Amino acid sequence: MGKLSKRTILWIIPIGILGVFWYFYGPQKDITDNEYITYVKSYSIENSNQTFDTAFSSTCKNPYWVYFETQKGQDVVEFEGDCPVNNKDSKVNVQFLVDRDMTNVQYGAMLVDSKMQEEADRDKFLLALVNN
């Protein structure tokens, strides 16, 4: 085997750089069990002693909880499941924003069948969970 040509080196370097970026910034494994998820699951819904975990588990099928951190450093816990919305089962995603000290949970975005919902619709849905 002979020496490496400039052309071969010019192909190897970009492929190596792409490999490094893929390793650090490529798809990550979902975090499905950590302290933030546990905190949100045990958090009581407004004016109720019912937790998010029991409310979603009793109402929705295929509940799935995942944690991620945004690029701005916000800790987010997301619920995914098949829930009744307007009398039909729909794919629902609800995000909960958790502060670093885990003293407060704020409601974030809500998607129904991959369509963004208004805050009023999200709040109505969450309050309906308590009444079920």
Side-chain angles (χ1 to χ4, degrees):
M1 207 158 143
K3 296 192 311 184
L4 290 176
S5 68
K6 288 182 183 179
R7 182 178 292 187
T8 304
I9 292 173
L10 290 176
W11 277 103
I12 292 173
I13 291 173
I15 290 172
I17 291 171
L18 286 174
V20 169
F21 274 102
W22 180 263
Y23 178 78
F24 286 106
Y25 300 109
Q28 305 278 322
K29 187 175 175 184
D30 285 346
I31 300 172
T32 57
D33 185 27
N34 76 357
E35 59 189 1
Y36 288 100
I37 293 173
T38 304
Y39 179 68
V40 171
K41 283 175 139 183
S42 64
Y43 196 80
S44 296
I45 298 175
E46 294 176 10
N47 303 322
S48 169
N49 58 1
Q50 189 174 19
T51 65
F52 281 118
D53 189 32
T54 56
F56 280 116
S57 295
S58 64
T59 306
C60 302
K61 299 174 194 154
N62 306 319
Y64 183 72
W65 295 87
V66 64
Y67 164 83
F68 62 93
E69 186 176 334
T70 66
Q71 290 178 344
K72 294 182 179 180
Q74 176 67 57
D75 297 301
V76 179
V77 174
E78 182 175 73
F79 169 83
E80 301 173 14
D82 301 317
C83 304
V85 177
N86 298 329
N87 298 322
K88 72 171 197 157
D89 279 350
S90 302
K91 177 77 172 152
V92 173
N93 295 48
V94 182
Q95 293 182 347
F96 300 96
L97 310 174
V98 183
D99 63 347
R100 288 267 179 216
D101 300 328
M102 286 194 286
T103 58
N104 190 23
V105 173
Q106 295 178 344
Y107 305 147
M110 178 176 164
L111 301 171
V112 175
D113 292 329
S114 301
K115 293 178 185 154
M116 181 70 87
Q117 302 298 301
E118 298 289 327
E119 288 181 21
D121 294 331
R122 176 204 59 209
D123 295 343
K124 181 178 160 185
F125 172 78
L126 292 173
L127 288 176
L129 286 176
V130 176
N131 298 329
N132 286 338

